[in-house]
Amino acid sequence: MGMGSGVQEQRASLTQGEVLPLTSSSQPNGKYEGTRHTRSVLNSLFSGALAGAVAKTAVAPLDRTKIIFQVSSARFSAKVSWSTRIKYSICLQVCLCVFAALQEAYRLIYRTYLKDGLFSLWRGNSATMVRVIPYAAIQFCAHEEYKRLLGGYYGFQGKALPPVPRLFAGSMAGTTAAMLTYPLDMVRARMAVTPKEMYSNILHVFVRISREEGLKTLYRGFTPTILGVVPYAGLSFFTYETLKKLHAEHSGRSQPYSFERLAFGACAGLIGQSASYPLDVVRRRMQTAGVTGHTYGTILGTMREIVSEEGVIRGLYKGLSMNWVKGPIAVGISFTTFDLTQILLRKLHQMGYTR
């Protein structure tokens, strides 16, 4: 009876961002433990890949619109007078910005649809999938592994990680994924902002960039990417794991409902992307410099040029209101898909379908 309740507690802990303790009863021999760990890694890789693919495909038109906002010098924001800004609360200002972004995004998406057709809204999505599937698979799998390693190191096996290691696990997961898949992100950005006649497919982008601009260009914007990923991934995973933990403690339910997972993921995406957004703008400018006529070289130089030409808010935070629409949707779908796929795979294994 005690053993059964212990197993149930271990299973419930997985839904709260906790790590299974390595007890003697759970590892009769090294071979079984190795097999269990391998299966866990494969499940995380598959769940992460599916989560990334579903989320990015769902928001692909908005994602392309956001990139166009970021790399353009035109203004895309709400025209609100200073008297209005002072009069209304911050929340209302945020709502006005989001509403303005939705209006401008609708116009841009509609113009793109009329000019190039419906499927042009997903232009570059094949490159996105080539990048996102390995990126999301590596990121989610790395996060699970870092949680396991940190749990063992800090003596928290079987318990939720404390805040600092929880934040560190997310940051390291994002950094690991970004380092391994960066050239694919560069290609995706180029395809999103160029006419379809310029690049015919993903391979063509690689060939032309390598031939005309050099292989080094494939890693242009790499430093701001890593600097942006650390707070973004760290805060996103930290927020999501923390909200799930608090939910379990206050509701008494180890498993949140799907809509609750979506809400937790949306909050995580909103916080993470807002914190790292200026570096995301710098990264996009540096990635697309070869096709926009600019010569961005360094992070500080790019920031100075953006601020001098467009200002701090209109330059470094251009498209942020669009990200407040796109980001929470994408991150919410991603985290929810990952969790539900993990749960499904565990149930299938318990039923004997995945032996």
Side-chain angles (χ1 to χ4, degrees):
M1 190 69 180
M3 183 180 296
S5 62
V7 172
Q8 289 176 355
E9 289 174 1
Q10 288 176 349
R11 287 176 182 168
S13 71
L14 289 174
T15 66
Q16 303 170 23
E18 299 176 2
V19 186
L20 277 174
L22 301 179
T23 60
S24 58
S25 62
S26 66
Q27 47 174 350
N29 54 61
K31 183 178 179 181
Y32 173 81
E33 181 59 33
T35 302
R36 190 179 71 166
H37 180 245
T38 301
R39 184 175 66 247
S40 174
V41 169
L42 292 176
N43 285 353
S44 296
L45 286 170
F46 176 77
S47 301
L50 183 62
V54 171
K56 278 296 183 181
T57 301
V59 299
L62 290 173
D63 203 29
R64 187 182 179 206
T65 303
K66 185 203 75 170
I67 293 175
I68 294 172
F69 280 8
Q70 287 179 324
V71 303
S72 171
S73 58
R75 180 182 176 183
F76 297 100
S77 60
K79 297 180 180 179
V80 183
S81 65
W82 280 108
S83 59
T84 305
R85 293 183 186 186
I86 295 171
K87 182 178 178 181
Y88 293 117
S89 64
I90 293 175
C91 290
L92 188 53
Q93 289 181 43
V94 169
C95 291
L96 287 171
C97 288
V98 172
F99 180 71
L102 284 172
Q103 281 186 313
E104 192 58 45
Y106 172 76
R107 292 193 194 101
L108 185 55
I109 289 172
Y110 186 64
R111 284 198 300 267
T112 304
Y113 164 71
L114 293 177
K115 182 181 177 183
D116 300 316
L118 177 64
F119 290 106
S120 66
L121 296 174
W122 277 267
R123 173 167 165 71
N125 196 50
S126 56
T128 301
M129 289 299 102
V130 171
R131 180 193 74 91
V132 161
I133 288 175
Y135 180 90
I138 293 169
Q139 180 176 239
F140 277 106
C141 181
H143 183 244
E144 295 299 311
E145 290 302 298
Y146 284 128
K147 282 198 304 182
R148 185 178 66 87
L149 292 172
L150 289 170
Y153 181 80
Y154 286 102
F156 281 91
Q157 284 283 17
K159 302 176 184 178
L161 289 173
V164 174
R166 197 183 310 155
L167 183 67
F168 183 68
S171 296
M172 287 302 298
T175 302
T176 302
M179 290 176 65
L180 295 175
T181 62
Y182 184 77
L184 295 170
D185 186 48
M186 171 73 169
V187 168
R188 192 268 297 229
R190 283 294 182 93
M191 291 189 75
V193 300
T194 55
K196 59 184 177 183
E197 296 79 16
M198 188 167 182
Y199 299 118
S200 56
N201 52 51
I202 300 170
L203 183 60
H204 187 209
V205 183
F206 275 110
V207 172
R208 280 197 62 175
I209 290 177
S210 302
R211 185 184 302 157
E212 299 173 6
E213 303 173 51
L215 286 172
K216 214 170 146 189
T217 305
L218 292 173
Y219 280 88
R220 181 182 290 160
F222 178 72
T223 304
T225 296
I226 296 300
L227 292 176
V229 158
V230 169
Y232 169 66
L235 288 172
S236 295
F237 278 108
F238 173 82
T239 302
Y240 186 69
E241 295 283 339
T242 301
L243 289 175
K244 285 203 302 180
K245 180 176 180 294
L246 292 173
H247 170 272
E249 291 174 354
H250 288 84
S251 69
R253 288 186 287 112
S254 61
Q255 295 281 7
Y257 297 128
S258 295
F259 72 89
E260 291 172 328
R261 294 181 194 274
L262 284 169
F264 298 160
C267 291
L270 187 65
I271 293 171
Q273 293 188 348
S274 297
S276 62
Y277 195 78
L279 286 166
D280 191 40
V281 173
V282 171
R283 170 176 65 120
R284 292 301 183 202
R285 294 294 182 95
M286 294 179 74
Q287 287 177 334
T288 59
V291 294
T292 58
H294 289 83
T295 54
Y296 300 120
T298 64
I299 298 174
L300 291 177
T302 303
M303 281 188 168
R304 276 196 298 266
E305 187 168 341
I306 292 172
V307 171
S308 64
E309 291 181 359
E310 305 165 47
V312 176
I313 302 299
R314 296 177 186 173
L316 293 178
Y317 289 90
K318 178 179 292 178
L320 177 59
S321 50
M322 169 57 63
N323 232 38
W324 285 339
V325 177
K326 178 198 76 76
I329 297 173
V331 179
I333 292 173
S334 180
F335 277 126
T336 302
T337 304
F338 177 80
D339 277 358
L340 296 182
T341 305
Q342 285 279 80
I343 292 170
L344 176 62
L345 290 174
R346 282 200 296 269
K347 286 183 178 178
L348 288 175
H349 175 72
Q350 290 168 6
M351 294 169 65
Y353 288 109
T354 59
R355 292 185 182 280

